[in-house]
């Protein structure tokens, strides 16, 4: 079981900003920007690579939640959504998640 599943199950605390039947959004414990939120499906999908075409509505929903959170969190100057996947992608928690980052200019390309 991953740490994110334990957050879904309320076994460990998190600063939860949004929840519905499909997903949960909470602040990253090690924020890399003034706003750094993780949006995760309640369905236990280890990574984007493990998702299937059947997950397309869920994946779309996660992005729509990110967009609404960006409005709610007043990221009016823009923001970035990131999905790290696998070892080379820098994924450290094996439960699919979208990072929503904002509140400062973000450099590109990533390291
Ligand atoms: P990734 O490297 O893309 O897998 O991102 C995992 C993210 O989860 C990192 O940004 C961590 O800071 C964050 N994280 C790990 N444990 C927790 C936790 N208990 N609560 C909130 N965020 C966490």
């Amino acid at each position: 079981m991953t740490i994110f599943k334990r957050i879904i199950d309320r076994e460990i605390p998190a600063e939860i900003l949004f929840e519905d039947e499909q997903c949960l959004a909470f602040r990253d414990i090690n924020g890399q920007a003034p706003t750094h939120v993780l949006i995760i499906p309640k369905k236990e999908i280890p990574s984007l690579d493990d998702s299937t075409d059947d997950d397309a509505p869920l994946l779309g929903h996660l992005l729509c939640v990110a967009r609404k959170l960006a409005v709610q969190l007043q990221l009016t100057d823009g923001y970035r959504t990131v999905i790290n996947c696998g070892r080379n992608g820098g994924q450290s928690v094996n439960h699919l998640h979208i990072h929503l980052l904002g509140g400062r200019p973000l450099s590109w390309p990533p390291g």
Side-chain angles (χ1 to χ4, degrees):
M1 181 186 288
T2 69
I3 197 143
F4 288 177
K5 174 63 173 159
R6 297 184 67 198
I7 290 174
I8 292 168
D9 292 342
R10 303 300 202 274
E11 289 178 12
I12 61 169
E15 190 181 341
I16 294 169
L17 301 180
F18 177 82
E19 180 173 23
D20 65 14
E21 65 283 351
Q22 294 182 81
C23 72
L24 192 68
F26 53 91
R27 289 196 193 275
D28 195 294
I29 204 167
N30 184 25
Q32 300 299 313
T35 296
H36 187 171
V37 176
L38 301 173
I39 301 129
I40 71 171
K42 290 186 173 175
K43 179 178 177 183
E44 290 183 88
I45 305 171
S47 77
L48 185 62
D49 198 43
D50 295 298
S51 68
T52 70
D53 289 356
D54 288 343
D55 294 314
L58 173 60
L59 296 174
H61 180 67
L62 297 177
L63 281 173
C64 289
V65 169
R67 186 195 70 230
K68 290 173 190 169
L69 280 169
V71 172
Q72 183 184 316
L73 296 167
Q74 300 181 305
L75 301 180
T76 51
D77 289 332
Y79 53 88
R80 183 172 294 165
T81 53
V82 175
I83 301 175
N84 295 323
C85 182
R87 194 181 324 127
N88 277 4
Q91 184 176 4
S92 62
V93 177
N94 292 324
H95 184 123
L96 175 63
H97 49 283
I98 298 176
H99 296 258
L100 171 64
L101 297 139
R104 68 168 172 84
L106 298 163
S107 60
W108 191 264

